[in-house]
Amino acid sequence: KQIESLAKQIEQLTAQVTVPVVEERTNIDAILAEAAENPFEYHEVANFDEHVKVQYMKMLLAVFEYTSTRLDERYQFAAKIYYTLNIQTDFLLLLQKSKTLSVQDVRNFVTIVQETEITEHFVIDLLMIAGVEQQSITMQYVAKVVAAMAVSEKNFKTYCQLTTAILTVDHDTIYEL
């Protein structure tokens, strides 16, 4: 039910939006160019096939439907993940496709995440993008995704602590967790 509710919300929003929403001041080309030059050193999902990586990015980019502030920073983080994963599909196409996710797409993604054991990576990446500046609607979306993935409260708290440590560059907490 939670997955269906999440997917239906995404589908409702996609009916309203047909092209990627990028703030006027956001220079997505510059963000992508910088991310291509400076991707993250490593990401666990980079070890998987193209299908898993594309599904991962589409679900991650779906969070942009639930946020409207500090998009530059959010896009920078997402673009760095995209280039670290070495995905062959165009970033803007994935962003557009993230707006047309169906209930079945969400179900398939939850299955992929569970089978490949990348739940932790996805939730942390999602929290990193959402955590740039927390908005109520964004956090509601994150909560629904986490519930759909059946993440325990204990694990979710750990992911939140780790994300906070990363965002604040608290090396002691990062190593502790």
Side-chain angles (χ1 to χ4, degrees):
K1 285 184 177 180
Q2 292 170 334
I3 294 171
E4 288 178 15
S5 172
L6 171 65
K8 285 181 184 177
Q9 284 183 335
I10 293 171
E11 286 177 347
Q12 289 170 353
L13 286 171
T14 60
Q16 300 168 14
V17 181
T18 57
V19 294
V21 176
V22 179
E23 292 176 329
E24 281 185 38
R25 71 175 197 276
T26 298
N27 183 342
I28 196 72
D29 293 330
I31 290 170
L32 291 172
E34 193 277 327
E37 291 291 320
N38 299 300
F40 294 120
E41 286 184 31
Y42 178 78
H43 196 292
E44 184 68 27
V45 177
N47 296 320
F48 291 94
D49 65 33
E50 183 75 3
H51 176 73
V52 170
K53 294 187 287 188
V54 165
Q55 298 311 312
Y56 186 94
M57 261 332 276
K58 283 194 315 189
M59 279 299 294
L60 194 59
L61 291 171
V63 75
F64 285 95
E65 287 296 309
Y66 299 91
T67 188
S68 61
T69 61
R70 298 181 65 182
L71 292 178
D72 285 1
E73 292 148 285
R74 297 176 199 271
Y75 280 121
Q76 287 168 354
F77 188 76
K80 283 181 173 271
I81 293 171
Y82 168 81
Y83 283 107
T84 304
L85 298 182
N86 196 27
I87 296 173
Q88 302 306 308
T89 306
D90 181 71
F91 181 88
L92 292 176
L93 180 60
L94 290 175
L95 184 61
Q96 187 172 356
K97 285 183 176 187
S98 76
K99 298 174 188 310
T100 60
L101 294 174
S102 68
V103 172
Q104 192 58 45
D105 291 330
V106 176
R107 283 187 185 134
N108 290 342
F109 180 71
V110 169
T111 301
I112 288 170
V113 165
Q114 291 169 341
E115 288 174 354
T116 58
E117 299 180 358
I118 57 174
T119 302
E120 175 182 343
H121 302 286
F122 182 78
V123 173
I124 290 172
D125 285 345
L126 183 62
L127 287 169
M128 293 286 288
I129 292 172
V132 168
E133 181 177 307
Q134 295 180 10
Q135 295 177 276
S136 177
I137 191 168
T138 310
M139 293 301 110
Q140 289 171 12
Y141 169 76
V142 169
K144 288 178 182 179
V145 171
V146 168
M149 295 178 156
V151 174
S152 72
E153 184 178 343
K154 178 184 176 195
N155 284 345
F156 184 66
K157 285 182 179 179
T158 300
Y159 302 158
C160 288
Q161 290 171 338
L162 184 56
T163 302
T164 300
I166 292 168
L167 287 172
T168 59
V169 193
D170 182 349
H171 296 288
D172 292 336
T173 303
I174 293 170
Y175 292 127
E176 188 178 298
L177 294 171

